[in-house]
Amino acid sequence: MSQSVNHSRRNLFRRRKLDAQRPPWVKSDIEFTDECSRCNACIDACETNVLIKGDGGFPEISFTNNECTFCQQCATVCKEPIFDLSQLTPWDIKASVNDSCLTYQGVWCQSCKDACDPAAISFKMAIGQVPKPMIDIEACTGCGACVAPCPSASISVIELNVTD
Ligand code: SF4
Ligand code: SF4
Ligand code: SF4
């Protein structure tokens, strides 16, 4: 792969990391803000209220209070050519724990594990240390259920798969 392509992929990765997280099953080859009419239909349809009105009035995901159940209501009510429910996975985001996690300060906590239905979070035992969370990237669906219960706001759900 040429250097210039590498640069463009890196730029894409940075841009995606900075962008707001859009709903699940959004087509990967569209510019979301070009297609979305800001009608709010998906926001109104979202059963867990994880879709909020974000910058510019465009819908974005916030896991601050709840998770995505992948109910598909957002994709079903949208009248624009934005969603593709035939995509095998709803999105590429995965949970990531940073070192503000309480276990890094010796505090026992496993709240994230208890919230994770697919059992993607396990705790690594080590002699003389509090067990620390580990995310199974394959099992993680990016649902965000682990975010709200974390007492130290240590979990982000982000794209990890584009690396260079
Ligand atoms: S799939 Fe359901 S829960 Fe997830 S963002 Fe869409 S409407 Fe909300
Ligand atoms: S985002 Fe969902 S599936 Fe992934 S670790 Fe958190 S709770 Fe588990
Ligand atoms: S819930 Fe938060 S503080 Fe507790 S173990 Fe998980 S990431 Fe660490």
PDB file of all heavy atoms in Angstrom, residues 22-25 41-51 60-61 63 67-77 83 85 90-91 143, ligand 1:
ATOM      1  N   ARG A  22     -23.044   7.784  14.780  1.00  0.00           N
ATOM      2  CA  ARG A  22     -24.366   7.749  14.157  1.00  0.00           C
ATOM      3  C   ARG A  22     -25.099   6.471  14.547  1.00  0.00           C
ATOM      4  O   ARG A  22     -24.503   5.561  15.126  1.00  0.00           O
ATOM      5  CB  ARG A  22     -24.238   7.859  12.633  1.00  0.00           C
ATOM      6  CG  ARG A  22     -23.538   9.130  12.172  1.00  0.00           C
ATOM      7  CD  ARG A  22     -24.169  10.389  12.721  1.00  0.00           C
ATOM      8  NE  ARG A  22     -23.442  11.585  12.310  1.00  0.00           N
ATOM      9  CZ  ARG A  22     -23.652  12.786  12.828  1.00  0.00           C
ATOM     10  NH1 ARG A  22     -24.547  12.959  13.784  1.00  0.00           N
ATOM     11  NH2 ARG A  22     -22.962  13.819  12.405  1.00  0.00           N
ATOM     12  N   PRO A  23     -26.389   6.361  14.220  1.00  0.00           N
ATOM     13  CA  PRO A  23     -27.147   5.161  14.599  1.00  0.00           C
ATOM     14  C   PRO A  23     -26.578   3.890  13.956  1.00  0.00           C
ATOM     15  O   PRO A  23     -25.807   3.967  12.994  1.00  0.00           O
ATOM     16  CB  PRO A  23     -28.555   5.457  14.056  1.00  0.00           C
ATOM     17  CG  PRO A  23     -28.609   6.919  13.815  1.00  0.00           C
ATOM     18  CD  PRO A  23     -27.206   7.356  13.522  1.00  0.00           C
ATOM     19  N   PRO A  24     -27.002   2.723  14.445  1.00  0.00           N
ATOM     20  CA  PRO A  24     -26.564   1.464  13.838  1.00  0.00           C
ATOM     21  C   PRO A  24     -27.150   1.294  12.436  1.00  0.00           C
ATOM     22  O   PRO A  24     -28.183   1.868  12.119  1.00  0.00           O
ATOM     23  CB  PRO A  24     -27.104   0.399  14.802  1.00  0.00           C
ATOM     24  CG  PRO A  24     -28.227   1.060  15.532  1.00  0.00           C
ATOM     25  CD  PRO A  24     -27.879   2.515  15.609  1.00  0.00           C
ATOM     26  N   TRP A  25     -26.479   0.483  11.629  1.00  0.00           N
ATOM     27  CA  TRP A  25     -26.880   0.129  10.261  1.00  0.00           C
ATOM     28  C   TRP A  25     -26.856   1.312   9.295  1.00  0.00           C
ATOM     29  O   TRP A  25     -27.443   1.250   8.219  1.00  0.00           O
ATOM     30  CB  TRP A  25     -28.262  -0.542  10.218  1.00  0.00           C
ATOM     31  CG  TRP A  25     -28.237  -1.919  10.761  1.00  0.00           C
ATOM     32  CD1 TRP A  25     -27.702  -3.050  10.186  1.00  0.00           C
ATOM     33  CD2 TRP A  25     -28.766  -2.332  12.025  1.00  0.00           C
ATOM     34  NE1 TRP A  25     -27.874  -4.125  11.032  1.00  0.00           N
ATOM     35  CE2 TRP A  25     -28.533  -3.719  12.157  1.00  0.00           C
ATOM     36  CE3 TRP A  25     -29.428  -1.668  13.068  1.00  0.00           C
ATOM     37  CZ2 TRP A  25     -28.915  -4.441  13.268  1.00  0.00           C
ATOM     38  CZ3 TRP A  25     -29.822  -2.386  14.179  1.00  0.00           C
ATOM     39  CH2 TRP A  25     -29.561  -3.759  14.273  1.00  0.00           C
ATOM     40  N   ALA A  41     -37.225  11.621  13.257  1.00  0.00           N
ATOM     41  CA  ALA A  41     -38.023  10.388  13.338  1.00  0.00           C
ATOM     42  C   ALA A  41     -37.281   9.284  14.086  1.00  0.00           C
ATOM     43  O   ALA A  41     -37.869   8.568  14.900  1.00  0.00           O
ATOM     44  CB  ALA A  41     -38.394   9.917  11.937  1.00  0.00           C
ATOM     45  N   CYS A  42     -35.990   9.154  13.828  1.00  0.00           N
ATOM     46  CA  CYS A  42     -35.227   8.089  14.502  1.00  0.00           C
ATOM     47  C   CYS A  42     -35.089   8.379  15.994  1.00  0.00           C
ATOM     48  O   CYS A  42     -35.173   7.468  16.831  1.00  0.00           O
ATOM     49  CB  CYS A  42     -33.859   7.911  13.860  1.00  0.00           C
ATOM     50  SG  CYS A  42     -32.839   9.405  13.862  1.00  0.00           S
ATOM     51  N   ILE A  43     -34.907   9.648  16.316  1.00  0.00           N
ATOM     52  CA  ILE A  43     -34.772  10.030  17.733  1.00  0.00           C
ATOM     53  C   ILE A  43     -36.067   9.712  18.478  1.00  0.00           C
ATOM     54  O   ILE A  43     -36.056   9.138  19.564  1.00  0.00           O
ATOM     55  CB  ILE A  43     -34.409  11.523  17.851  1.00  0.00           C
ATOM     56  CG1 ILE A  43     -33.029  11.780  17.250  1.00  0.00           C
ATOM     57  CG2 ILE A  43     -34.470  11.992  19.307  1.00  0.00           C
ATOM     58  CD1 ILE A  43     -32.637  13.243  17.162  1.00  0.00           C
ATOM     59  N   ASP A  44     -37.187  10.056  17.851  1.00  0.00           N
ATOM     60  CA  ASP A  44     -38.488   9.796  18.478  1.00  0.00           C
ATOM     61  C   ASP A  44     -38.766   8.302  18.602  1.00  0.00           C
ATOM     62  O   ASP A  44     -39.454   7.862  19.521  1.00  0.00           O
ATOM     63  CB  ASP A  44     -39.615  10.453  17.664  1.00  0.00           C
ATOM     64  CG  ASP A  44     -39.532  11.973  17.681  1.00  0.00           C
ATOM     65  OD1 ASP A  44     -38.858  12.513  18.593  1.00  0.00           O
ATOM     66  OD2 ASP A  44     -40.117  12.617  16.794  1.00  0.00           O
ATOM     67  N   ALA A  45     -38.234   7.516  17.648  1.00  0.00           N
ATOM     68  CA  ALA A  45     -38.527   6.077  17.635  1.00  0.00           C
ATOM     69  C   ALA A  45     -37.632   5.273  18.574  1.00  0.00           C
ATOM     70  O   ALA A  45     -37.966   4.131  18.910  1.00  0.00           O
ATOM     71  CB  ALA A  45     -38.368   5.542  16.220  1.00  0.00           C
ATOM     72  N   CYS A  46     -36.538   5.841  19.009  1.00  0.00           N
ATOM     73  CA  CYS A  46     -35.554   5.062  19.778  1.00  0.00           C
ATOM     74  C   CYS A  46     -36.105   4.683  21.151  1.00  0.00           C
ATOM     75  O   CYS A  46     -36.423   5.536  21.969  1.00  0.00           O
ATOM     76  CB  CYS A  46     -34.272   5.872  19.936  1.00  0.00           C
ATOM     77  SG  CYS A  46     -33.005   4.979  20.854  1.00  0.00           S
ATOM     78  N   GLU A  47     -36.184   3.364  21.385  1.00  0.00           N
ATOM     79  CA  GLU A  47     -36.859   2.885  22.598  1.00  0.00           C
ATOM     80  C   GLU A  47     -36.050   3.109  23.870  1.00  0.00           C
ATOM     81  O   GLU A  47     -36.594   3.059  24.972  1.00  0.00           O
ATOM     82  CB  GLU A  47     -37.220   1.401  22.453  1.00  0.00           C
ATOM     83  CG  GLU A  47     -36.007   0.480  22.312  1.00  0.00           C
ATOM     84  CD  GLU A  47     -36.402  -0.987  22.214  1.00  0.00           C
ATOM     85  OE1 GLU A  47     -37.573  -1.269  21.906  1.00  0.00           O
ATOM     86  OE2 GLU A  47     -35.530  -1.841  22.454  1.00  0.00           O
ATOM     87  N   THR A  48     -34.767   3.336  23.740  1.00  0.00           N
ATOM     88  CA  THR A  48     -33.953   3.541  24.946  1.00  0.00           C
ATOM     89  C   THR A  48     -33.413   4.969  25.061  1.00  0.00           C
ATOM     90  O   THR A  48     -32.637   5.270  25.974  1.00  0.00           O
ATOM     91  CB  THR A  48     -32.751   2.567  24.952  1.00  0.00           C
ATOM     92  OG1 THR A  48     -31.999   2.774  23.756  1.00  0.00           O
ATOM     93  CG2 THR A  48     -33.209   1.123  25.050  1.00  0.00           C
ATOM     94  N   ASN A  49     -33.796   5.809  24.112  1.00  0.00           N
ATOM     95  CA  ASN A  49     -33.365   7.220  24.117  1.00  0.00           C
ATOM     96  C   ASN A  49     -31.851   7.395  24.054  1.00  0.00           C
ATOM     97  O   ASN A  49     -31.313   8.367  24.588  1.00  0.00           O
ATOM     98  CB  ASN A  49     -33.920   7.954  25.344  1.00  0.00           C
ATOM     99  CG  ASN A  49     -35.425   7.986  25.347  1.00  0.00           C
ATOM    100  OD1 ASN A  49     -36.050   8.202  24.320  1.00  0.00           O
ATOM    101  ND2 ASN A  49     -36.029   7.745  26.506  1.00  0.00           N
ATOM    102  N   VAL A  50     -31.186   6.455  23.396  1.00  0.00           N
ATOM    103  CA  VAL A  50     -29.746   6.660  23.182  1.00  0.00           C
ATOM    104  C   VAL A  50     -29.474   7.536  21.971  1.00  0.00           C
ATOM    105  O   VAL A  50     -28.358   7.998  21.771  1.00  0.00           O
ATOM    106  CB  VAL A  50     -28.956   5.336  23.030  1.00  0.00           C
ATOM    107  CG1 VAL A  50     -28.864   4.603  24.326  1.00  0.00           C
ATOM    108  CG2 VAL A  50     -29.544   4.455  21.942  1.00  0.00           C
ATOM    109  N   LEU A  51     -30.497   7.746  21.141  1.00  0.00           N
ATOM    110  CA  LEU A  51     -30.357   8.683  20.028  1.00  0.00           C
ATOM    111  C   LEU A  51     -30.774  10.064  20.503  1.00  0.00           C
ATOM    112  O   LEU A  51     -31.895  10.244  20.992  1.00  0.00           O
ATOM    113  CB  LEU A  51     -31.225   8.243  18.848  1.00  0.00           C
ATOM    114  CG  LEU A  51     -30.568   7.298  17.849  1.00  0.00           C
ATOM    115  CD1 LEU A  51     -31.547   6.894  16.760  1.00  0.00           C
ATOM    116  CD2 LEU A  51     -29.334   7.919  17.237  1.00  0.00           C
ATOM    117  N   GLU A  60     -27.316  11.612  16.964  1.00  0.00           N
ATOM    118  CA  GLU A  60     -26.110  10.887  17.332  1.00  0.00           C
ATOM    119  C   GLU A  60     -26.373  10.041  18.574  1.00  0.00           C
ATOM    120  O   GLU A  60     -27.330  10.275  19.317  1.00  0.00           O
ATOM    121  CB  GLU A  60     -24.931  11.834  17.542  1.00  0.00           C
ATOM    122  CG  GLU A  60     -25.109  12.850  18.646  1.00  0.00           C
ATOM    123  CD  GLU A  60     -23.930  13.818  18.724  1.00  0.00           C
ATOM    124  OE1 GLU A  60     -23.606  14.452  17.692  1.00  0.00           O
ATOM    125  OE2 GLU A  60     -23.339  13.944  19.809  1.00  0.00           O
ATOM    126  N   ILE A  61     -25.516   9.067  18.746  1.00  0.00           N
ATOM    127  CA  ILE A  61     -25.662   8.118  19.848  1.00  0.00           C
ATOM    128  C   ILE A  61     -24.969   8.655  21.101  1.00  0.00           C
ATOM    129  O   ILE A  61     -23.834   9.130  21.040  1.00  0.00           O
ATOM    130  CB  ILE A  61     -25.024   6.757  19.475  1.00  0.00           C
ATOM    131  CG1 ILE A  61     -25.802   6.059  18.345  1.00  0.00           C
ATOM    132  CG2 ILE A  61     -24.899   5.853  20.700  1.00  0.00           C
ATOM    133  CD1 ILE A  61     -27.061   5.356  18.764  1.00  0.00           C
ATOM    134  N   PHE A  63     -24.336   7.022  24.945  1.00  0.00           N
ATOM    135  CA  PHE A  63     -24.535   5.908  25.876  1.00  0.00           C
ATOM    136  C   PHE A  63     -24.516   6.378  27.333  1.00  0.00           C
ATOM    137  O   PHE A  63     -24.405   5.555  28.239  1.00  0.00           O
ATOM    138  CB  PHE A  63     -23.440   4.855  25.671  1.00  0.00           C
ATOM    139  CG  PHE A  63     -23.494   4.146  24.347  1.00  0.00           C
ATOM    140  CD1 PHE A  63     -22.383   4.118  23.514  1.00  0.00           C
ATOM    141  CD2 PHE A  63     -24.649   3.495  23.934  1.00  0.00           C
ATOM    142  CE1 PHE A  63     -22.411   3.453  22.303  1.00  0.00           C
ATOM    143  CE2 PHE A  63     -24.698   2.827  22.718  1.00  0.00           C
ATOM    144  CZ  PHE A  63     -23.573   2.805  21.893  1.00  0.00           C
ATOM    145  N   GLU A  67     -28.380   1.967  26.743  1.00  0.00           N
ATOM    146  CA  GLU A  67     -27.724   1.167  25.720  1.00  0.00           C
ATOM    147  C   GLU A  67     -28.571   1.094  24.445  1.00  0.00           C
ATOM    148  O   GLU A  67     -29.768   1.394  24.481  1.00  0.00           O
ATOM    149  CB  GLU A  67     -27.544  -0.266  26.229  1.00  0.00           C
ATOM    150  CG  GLU A  67     -28.864  -0.999  26.359  1.00  0.00           C
ATOM    151  CD  GLU A  67     -28.770  -2.271  27.182  1.00  0.00           C
ATOM    152  OE1 GLU A  67     -28.958  -2.191  28.397  1.00  0.00           O
ATOM    153  OE2 GLU A  67     -28.536  -3.328  26.585  1.00  0.00           O
ATOM    154  N   CYS A  68     -27.971   0.659  23.369  1.00  0.00           N
ATOM    155  CA  CYS A  68     -28.710   0.349  22.143  1.00  0.00           C
ATOM    156  C   CYS A  68     -29.122  -1.116  22.200  1.00  0.00           C
ATOM    157  O   CYS A  68     -28.292  -1.999  22.418  1.00  0.00           O
ATOM    158  CB  CYS A  68     -27.842   0.597  20.915  1.00  0.00           C
ATOM    159  SG  CYS A  68     -28.615   0.076  19.364  1.00  0.00           S
ATOM    160  N   THR A  69     -30.409  -1.374  21.981  1.00  0.00           N
ATOM    161  CA  THR A  69     -30.920  -2.759  21.998  1.00  0.00           C
ATOM    162  C   THR A  69     -30.960  -3.372  20.605  1.00  0.00           C
ATOM    163  O   THR A  69     -31.397  -4.509  20.452  1.00  0.00           O
ATOM    164  CB  THR A  69     -32.344  -2.776  22.575  1.00  0.00           C
ATOM    165  OG1 THR A  69     -33.154  -1.904  21.768  1.00  0.00           O
ATOM    166  CG2 THR A  69     -32.367  -2.329  24.027  1.00  0.00           C
ATOM    167  N   PHE A  70     -30.521  -2.610  19.593  1.00  0.00           N
ATOM    168  CA  PHE A  70     -30.550  -3.059  18.205  1.00  0.00           C
ATOM    169  C   PHE A  70     -31.973  -3.432  17.770  1.00  0.00           C
ATOM    170  O   PHE A  70     -32.190  -4.399  17.047  1.00  0.00           O
ATOM    171  CB  PHE A  70     -29.563  -4.228  17.990  1.00  0.00           C
ATOM    172  CG  PHE A  70     -28.157  -3.865  18.389  1.00  0.00           C
ATOM    173  CD1 PHE A  70     -27.551  -4.438  19.502  1.00  0.00           C
ATOM    174  CD2 PHE A  70     -27.454  -2.920  17.667  1.00  0.00           C
ATOM    175  CE1 PHE A  70     -26.262  -4.082  19.883  1.00  0.00           C
ATOM    176  CE2 PHE A  70     -26.157  -2.552  18.047  1.00  0.00           C
ATOM    177  CZ  PHE A  70     -25.572  -3.139  19.157  1.00  0.00           C
ATOM    178  N   CYS A  71     -32.939  -2.636  18.228  1.00  0.00           N
ATOM    179  CA  CYS A  71     -34.350  -2.885  17.902  1.00  0.00           C
ATOM    180  C   CYS A  71     -34.672  -2.543  16.451  1.00  0.00           C
ATOM    181  O   CYS A  71     -35.740  -2.916  15.952  1.00  0.00           O
ATOM    182  CB  CYS A  71     -35.249  -2.075  18.835  1.00  0.00           C
ATOM    183  SG  CYS A  71     -35.186  -0.277  18.534  1.00  0.00           S
ATOM    184  N   GLN A  72     -33.804  -1.808  15.783  1.00  0.00           N
ATOM    185  CA  GLN A  72     -33.931  -1.434  14.368  1.00  0.00           C
ATOM    186  C   GLN A  72     -35.006  -0.382  14.097  1.00  0.00           C
ATOM    187  O   GLN A  72     -35.315  -0.088  12.938  1.00  0.00           O
ATOM    188  CB  GLN A  72     -34.176  -2.666  13.480  1.00  0.00           C
ATOM    189  CG  GLN A  72     -33.078  -3.704  13.585  1.00  0.00           C
ATOM    190  CD  GLN A  72     -33.205  -4.817  12.552  1.00  0.00           C
ATOM    191  OE1 GLN A  72     -34.236  -4.983  11.913  1.00  0.00           O
ATOM    192  NE2 GLN A  72     -32.142  -5.590  12.400  1.00  0.00           N
ATOM    193  N   GLN A  73     -35.623   0.160  15.120  1.00  0.00           N
ATOM    194  CA  GLN A  73     -36.679   1.148  14.896  1.00  0.00           C
ATOM    195  C   GLN A  73     -36.148   2.382  14.173  1.00  0.00           C
ATOM    196  O   GLN A  73     -36.836   2.950  13.320  1.00  0.00           O
ATOM    197  CB  GLN A  73     -37.324   1.550  16.224  1.00  0.00           C
ATOM    198  CG  GLN A  73     -38.313   0.546  16.748  1.00  0.00           C
ATOM    199  CD  GLN A  73     -39.414   0.260  15.722  1.00  0.00           C
ATOM    200  OE1 GLN A  73     -40.051   1.166  15.212  1.00  0.00           O
ATOM    201  NE2 GLN A  73     -39.604  -1.006  15.414  1.00  0.00           N
ATOM    202  N   CYS A  74     -34.938   2.816  14.516  1.00  0.00           N
ATOM    203  CA  CYS A  74     -34.366   4.003  13.860  1.00  0.00           C
ATOM    204  C   CYS A  74     -34.250   3.781  12.358  1.00  0.00           C
ATOM    205  O   CYS A  74     -34.618   4.646  11.554  1.00  0.00           O
ATOM    206  CB  CYS A  74     -33.008   4.347  14.472  1.00  0.00           C
ATOM    207  SG  CYS A  74     -31.876   2.954  14.629  1.00  0.00           S
ATOM    208  N   ALA A  75     -33.774   2.611  11.971  1.00  0.00           N
ATOM    209  CA  ALA A  75     -33.598   2.296  10.551  1.00  0.00           C
ATOM    210  C   ALA A  75     -34.938   2.125   9.854  1.00  0.00           C
ATOM    211  O   ALA A  75     -35.083   2.473   8.682  1.00  0.00           O
ATOM    212  CB  ALA A  75     -32.774   1.017  10.412  1.00  0.00           C
ATOM    213  N   THR A  76     -35.919   1.621  10.568  1.00  0.00           N
ATOM    214  CA  THR A  76     -37.224   1.342   9.972  1.00  0.00           C
ATOM    215  C   THR A  76     -38.013   2.613   9.690  1.00  0.00           C
ATOM    216  O   THR A  76     -38.676   2.731   8.652  1.00  0.00           O
ATOM    217  CB  THR A  76     -38.042   0.419  10.911  1.00  0.00           C
ATOM    218  OG1 THR A  76     -37.276  -0.761  11.156  1.00  0.00           O
ATOM    219  CG2 THR A  76     -39.377   0.040  10.306  1.00  0.00           C
ATOM    220  N   VAL A  77     -37.937   3.589  10.578  1.00  0.00           N
ATOM    221  CA  VAL A  77     -38.756   4.794  10.394  1.00  0.00           C
ATOM    222  C   VAL A  77     -38.120   5.816   9.454  1.00  0.00           C
ATOM    223  O   VAL A  77     -38.809   6.703   8.942  1.00  0.00           O
ATOM    224  CB  VAL A  77     -39.075   5.490  11.748  1.00  0.00           C
ATOM    225  CG1 VAL A  77     -39.889   4.572  12.641  1.00  0.00           C
ATOM    226  CG2 VAL A  77     -37.808   5.988  12.420  1.00  0.00           C
ATOM    227  N   PHE A  83     -29.972   4.031   5.809  1.00  0.00           N
ATOM    228  CA  PHE A  83     -29.750   2.770   6.528  1.00  0.00           C
ATOM    229  C   PHE A  83     -29.737   1.582   5.563  1.00  0.00           C
ATOM    230  O   PHE A  83     -30.403   1.587   4.533  1.00  0.00           O
ATOM    231  CB  PHE A  83     -30.876   2.548   7.553  1.00  0.00           C
ATOM    232  CG  PHE A  83     -30.844   3.523   8.698  1.00  0.00           C
ATOM    233  CD1 PHE A  83     -31.513   4.739   8.608  1.00  0.00           C
ATOM    234  CD2 PHE A  83     -30.158   3.232   9.867  1.00  0.00           C
ATOM    235  CE1 PHE A  83     -31.508   5.650   9.662  1.00  0.00           C
ATOM    236  CE2 PHE A  83     -30.144   4.130  10.922  1.00  0.00           C
ATOM    237  CZ  PHE A  83     -30.812   5.334  10.815  1.00  0.00           C
ATOM    238  N   LEU A  85     -30.217  -2.385   6.395  1.00  0.00           N
ATOM    239  CA  LEU A  85     -30.374  -3.454   7.388  1.00  0.00           C
ATOM    240  C   LEU A  85     -29.821  -4.791   6.907  1.00  0.00           C
ATOM    241  O   LEU A  85     -29.791  -5.752   7.678  1.00  0.00           O
ATOM    242  CB  LEU A  85     -31.857  -3.603   7.765  1.00  0.00           C
ATOM    243  CG  LEU A  85     -32.402  -2.506   8.668  1.00  0.00           C
ATOM    244  CD1 LEU A  85     -33.916  -2.616   8.800  1.00  0.00           C
ATOM    245  CD2 LEU A  85     -31.748  -2.556  10.048  1.00  0.00           C
ATOM    246  N   PRO A  90     -24.242  -4.160  12.744  1.00  0.00           N
ATOM    247  CA  PRO A  90     -24.841  -2.814  12.771  1.00  0.00           C
ATOM    248  C   PRO A  90     -23.819  -1.690  12.748  1.00  0.00           C
ATOM    249  O   PRO A  90     -24.107  -0.606  12.250  1.00  0.00           O
ATOM    250  CB  PRO A  90     -25.645  -2.807  14.072  1.00  0.00           C
ATOM    251  CG  PRO A  90     -25.141  -3.948  14.882  1.00  0.00           C
ATOM    252  CD  PRO A  90     -24.582  -4.952  13.935  1.00  0.00           C
ATOM    253  N   TRP A  91     -22.637  -1.945  13.300  1.00  0.00           N
ATOM    254  CA  TRP A  91     -21.589  -0.913  13.289  1.00  0.00           C
ATOM    255  C   TRP A  91     -20.287  -1.556  13.744  1.00  0.00           C
ATOM    256  O   TRP A  91     -20.262  -2.738  14.126  1.00  0.00           O
ATOM    257  CB  TRP A  91     -21.952   0.270  14.193  1.00  0.00           C
ATOM    258  CG  TRP A  91     -22.470  -0.044  15.582  1.00  0.00           C
ATOM    259  CD1 TRP A  91     -22.249  -1.184  16.317  1.00  0.00           C
ATOM    260  CD2 TRP A  91     -23.332   0.781  16.368  1.00  0.00           C
ATOM    261  NE1 TRP A  91     -22.898  -1.102  17.521  1.00  0.00           N
ATOM    262  CE2 TRP A  91     -23.573   0.103  17.582  1.00  0.00           C
ATOM    263  CE3 TRP A  91     -23.896   2.041  16.191  1.00  0.00           C
ATOM    264  CZ2 TRP A  91     -24.375   0.637  18.597  1.00  0.00           C
ATOM    265  CZ3 TRP A  91     -24.689   2.557  17.212  1.00  0.00           C
ATOM    266  CH2 TRP A  91     -24.927   1.864  18.389  1.00  0.00           C
ATOM    267  N   CYS A 143     -22.887  -2.304  22.122  1.00  0.00           N
ATOM    268  CA  CYS A 143     -24.228  -1.882  22.583  1.00  0.00           C
ATOM    269  C   CYS A 143     -24.175  -0.734  23.573  1.00  0.00           C
ATOM    270  O   CYS A 143     -25.157  -0.024  23.765  1.00  0.00           O
ATOM    271  CB  CYS A 143     -24.963  -3.061  23.201  1.00  0.00           C
ATOM    272  SG  CYS A 143     -24.306  -3.581  24.814  1.00  0.00           S
TER     273      CYS A 143
HETATM  274  S1  SF4 B   1     -31.498   0.236  17.153  1.00  0.00           S
HETATM  275 FE1  SF4 B   1     -33.181   0.837  18.581  1.00  0.00          FE
HETATM  276  S2  SF4 B   1     -32.164   1.264  20.552  1.00  0.00           S
HETATM  277 FE2  SF4 B   1     -30.550   1.299  18.937  1.00  0.00          FE
HETATM  278  S3  SF4 B   1     -30.385   3.461  18.292  1.00  0.00           S
HETATM  279 FE3  SF4 B   1     -31.850   2.457  16.880  1.00  0.00          FE
HETATM  280  S4  SF4 B   1     -33.886   2.855  17.788  1.00  0.00           S
HETATM  281 FE4  SF4 B   1     -32.332   3.247  19.427  1.00  0.00          FE
END
